[in-house]
Amino acid sequence: MPTFTTMKVCIAEKPSVARDIAAVIGAKVRKDGYFEGNGYQVTWTFGHFCTLKEPHDYTEQWKYWRLEDLPMIPPSFGIKLINNNGVEKQFRVIEQLVNQCEEVINCGDAGQEGELIQRWVLLKAQCPAPVKRLWISSLTEAAIREGFQKLKNADQYDNLYAAGSARAIGDWLLGMNATRLFTKKFAQGKTVLSIGRVQTPTLAMIVARQKEINAFVSEEYWELKTIYRETEFTATIDRMKVLDRAQKGLAYLKEHPFEITSFEKKEGKEGNPRLFDLTALQVEANKKYAYTADDTLKYIQNLYEKKMVTYPRVDTTYLSEDLHPKIAGIMQDLTPYAALTAPVLANPIPKLKTVFDDKKVTDHHAIIPTGVYPSNLSAEEKRIYDLVARRFIAAFYPECKISNTTVLGKVGQVPFKVTGKEILEPGWKEVYANDAKSKKEEEEEEKVLPVFVVGESGPHTPRVHHGKTTPPKPYTEASLLRAMETAGKQVDDEEMRELLKDNGIGRPSTRANIIETLFRRKYIEKRKKNIFATQTGIDLIDTIQTELLKSPELTGIWERKLRQIEKGEYAIETFKQELIQMVIDLTVEVKTATYKAITVAADQPEKKEKEKEEKTKKEAKPKEPKEPKKAMVIEEQQCPKCKAHVLKKGNTAYGCANFKVCGFKIPFEVFGKKLTDKQIADLLTRGKTGKIKGWKLAGAANETEGKLKLNEAFELEVE
């Protein structure tokens, strides 16, 4: 029988957050796997401890990939602990603590994924105690303290959990079935054709753009332009496709003077930039610094854990109205930006409708600084912090006042036009005054025209401009993120974008991962900043005839339903039944289809060697392949030494994320040889590589052949 205590058990999502919480609530004593003190025990997970059961966990026959076994629809979905020693050990600690306490406080990340991680752990541990929820938007001491004074009942977040659960089940049903279905029906050899609820429509958007670019035929055109009073005007007639017509037009222009027919100057405003949600921050960082969406997410997450910014995995650009009184204090604390905050602090902070709106804020508000002084930051983190801080300050500056000028003229019967723009009061643009601008931005920023009078006329210098039509632009990570956010619709208007967010594909926190997955599966590739589909990616989308799988709009409709589940407006059972029906229909359709098989473009020699090995293995085994292994992502692996942290890629080695304490690393180059990713993966999974020639060992005259292995001290040696 467990012994019950009067302890309250807090479970955080990672050790560093548990440490912060423990320090604030007085649990100062470090135990094995938790902190204790002041009536609290504070323990932690490190990300996902549980996952949905795999097909073979339900029935032995689903272990093998066979068309006749599809669709796989479990009678009910179960969860299991992931197979990892560190996870298993820590889970036992959590299990013991929650089964003998009086109350559990779920301190997981305050979002859908955080809720799912913690609920699954509590479910797996069969937690009998009542559960409360800590829901905070930043990890500062004040926010943690305030959060503990206002703990919520866990059932307030039941719908959030239901949405997370429905998302996971939907991804399983579609991903597991469709991947096997298309692989067995259309793939050749060992190729796995990976299909996903979000990744496939994302790939489809990239492929569609690629096809537009490939099919594009550039056309020449000619336009008439003329310079009058040092200002270049362009003829507003249709572009000419024939040079001869343009030359006749030029001859006509030379016979007539230029006359001004209209001069209009209108004052306007350029609204302040919105505060950042995660997607907007990733877009800006990609445009400005070419950071990938994944890297930006890592940097902003680090800043959150260092208490410098608020919770980042958000999709709103608004603040809740109760934050208004705190803004001046945060501004005052931004001491490195004192010169920029001074004009804002000179007056009371305005309660702007473009910034504060409770209706636009659900669980969290936009990303803003907390006011904690930015210290101990990497160069990348500094840049991301600077983007957030400046955007926060700019939101409270006056609007930028401009005047737009439109001038119309004519030469004989040919109409001409020019537009100009003048900044009257820079307003919020002062916050970005020192930013380096591209030539294009400078041209757009200001083009001051002289004052013209209607009726004036005079000599001018006409010319023919020769141009070529340009193909559509390939996606960059910035434009792809925007397209995912609006389910493929081209939207520049902020208001419209807000409305479409419910129908976007993927969640802000998962979009970066989806893009990375497509790169990893070699469905897309990057050239400079541009993203292109590979031949395999194009073939895969061409093979999928089912619109449902590749349409951003339809995926956006599912996403909307998931959000409705989150709001309690849609039943999870209905959603599940719809998905099951869809998977059944899809299976019938694909099984009876006849399209071409997909070949995969030839890969590096390393892959050919691997295929040779696999072929030999395959001949010795029963015909039916087992579940194909996904390529291992080294940065997702756990450190084999401390088993508490994941591995990180440095400049010269993969090392433990907690390297200073743990000290584990695998250099990219060792004993005079560069290691391949496969060899590093072998070291991590089996503790050694296969036999390799050419090791240059200290003190040995000749090169050595042998296996590279991790010894008991987790150091590399050749055996």
Side-chain angles (χ1 to χ4, degrees), residues 421-704:
K421 176 176 151 184
E422 197 176 342
I423 292 172
L424 305 175
E425 288 173 29
W428 60 266
K429 289 202 172 184
E430 282 181 30
V431 177
Y432 300 99
N434 298 330
D435 280 15
K437 290 185 181 71
S438 69
K439 211 170 175 188
K440 190 180 169 210
E441 280 175 321
E442 273 178 3
E443 280 169 18
E444 283 172 6
E445 191 105 313
E446 218 168 352
K447 186 178 169 191
V448 183
L449 298 176
V451 174
F452 293 98
V453 178
V454 175
E456 71 170 89
S457 81
H460 60 108
T461 317
R463 70 181 180 93
V464 170
H465 166 73
H466 177 209
K468 278 183 176 181
T469 55
T470 54
K473 285 191 170 73
Y475 280 114
T476 60
E477 283 212 21
S479 58
L480 182 59
L481 283 165
R482 280 293 185 219
M484 289 173 83
E485 187 182 51
T486 56
K489 292 186 174 68
Q490 290 295 313
V491 180
D492 293 323
D493 179 55
E494 283 284 357
E495 285 292 321
M496 192 61 194
R497 199 180 281 149
E498 283 291 328
L499 292 173
L500 282 171
K501 277 183 183 175
D502 271 6
N503 279 26
I505 61 176
R507 290 182 73 74
S509 53
T510 57
R511 286 180 193 134
N513 197 2
I514 294 292
I515 298 170
E516 289 302 311
T517 301
L518 291 171
F519 278 123
R520 221 170 34 239
R521 301 205 191 289
K522 304 229 169 21
Y523 294 158
I524 60 174
E525 61 190 11
K526 197 181 274 182
R527 291 181 226 146
K528 293 189 177 158
K529 274 174 85 169
N530 296 331
I531 293 173
F532 294 91
T534 61
Q535 194 54 50
T536 310
I538 294 170
D539 285 353
L540 176 57
I541 293 301
D542 285 348
T543 301
I544 300 170
Q545 301 294 304
T546 314
E547 209 44 45
L548 208 56
L549 283 183
K550 55 184 183 178
S551 155
E553 284 88 350
L554 289 165
T555 308
I557 291 166
W558 290 355
E559 208 63 51
R560 190 188 186 103
K561 285 178 179 172
L562 285 164
R563 288 181 189 248
Q564 285 176 313
I565 292 171
E566 203 174 301
K567 293 173 189 162
E569 295 165 3
Y570 205 78
I572 183 170
E573 275 312 312
T574 314
F575 183 75
K576 235 159 58 179
Q577 285 315 313
E578 287 173 353
L579 275 166
I580 287 169
Q581 194 51 53
M582 191 198 122
V583 166
I584 292 169
D585 296 345
L586 175 71
T587 310
V588 171
E589 182 188 325
V590 174
K591 277 184 182 177
T592 57
T594 50
Y595 335 125
K596 61 169 187 171
I598 291 181
T599 47
V600 175
D603 217 331
Q604 298 78 17
E606 184 195 321
K607 187 171 173 189
K608 288 214 171 107
E609 286 299 325
K610 199 169 144 202
E611 277 172 8
K612 224 190 228 168
E613 277 174 38
E614 281 177 348
K615 204 174 175 191
T616 335
K617 281 186 209 159
K618 192 178 168 186
E619 282 159 8
K621 282 188 181 174
K623 234 177 162 185
E624 199 50 58
K626 296 207 173 171
E627 194 110 6
K629 285 196 175 84
K630 293 185 185 119
M632 178 198 270
V633 182
I634 294 165
E635 286 151 284
E636 286 174 5
Q637 301 311 304
Q638 192 187 28
C639 168
K641 187 174 175 185
C642 69
K643 294 191 166 60
H645 295 270
V646 290
L647 295 178
K648 264 192 161 162
K649 190 174 186 177
N651 293 331
T652 58
Y654 286 104
C656 177
N658 193 21
F659 180 74
K660 283 180 185 157
V661 179
C662 164
F664 176 75
K665 69 171 180 181
I666 297 180
F668 301 150
E669 198 169 309
V670 63
F671 303 130
K673 283 191 81 65
K674 225 172 180 182
L675 299 180
T676 66
D677 278 1
K678 181 181 181 324
Q679 289 160 349
I680 293 172
D682 285 346
L683 281 169
L684 293 170
T685 51
R686 296 170 27 215
K688 60 171 86 173
T689 66
K691 264 196 181 162
I692 299 167
K693 289 178 181 171
W695 299 116
K696 292 175 185 156
L697 301 180
N702 300 323
E703 292 181 347
T704 312

Side-chain angles (χ1 to χ4, degrees), residues 106 115 119 130-133 152-162 566:
N106 171 355
E115 191 66 21
R119 294 273 192 132
V131 183
K132 288 269 196 291
R133 183 62 158 110
K152 319 270 188 190
N153 284 325
D155 57 14
Q156 260 182 264
Y157 298 94
D158 284 354
N159 290 333
L160 188 68
Y161 166 58
E566 203 174 301

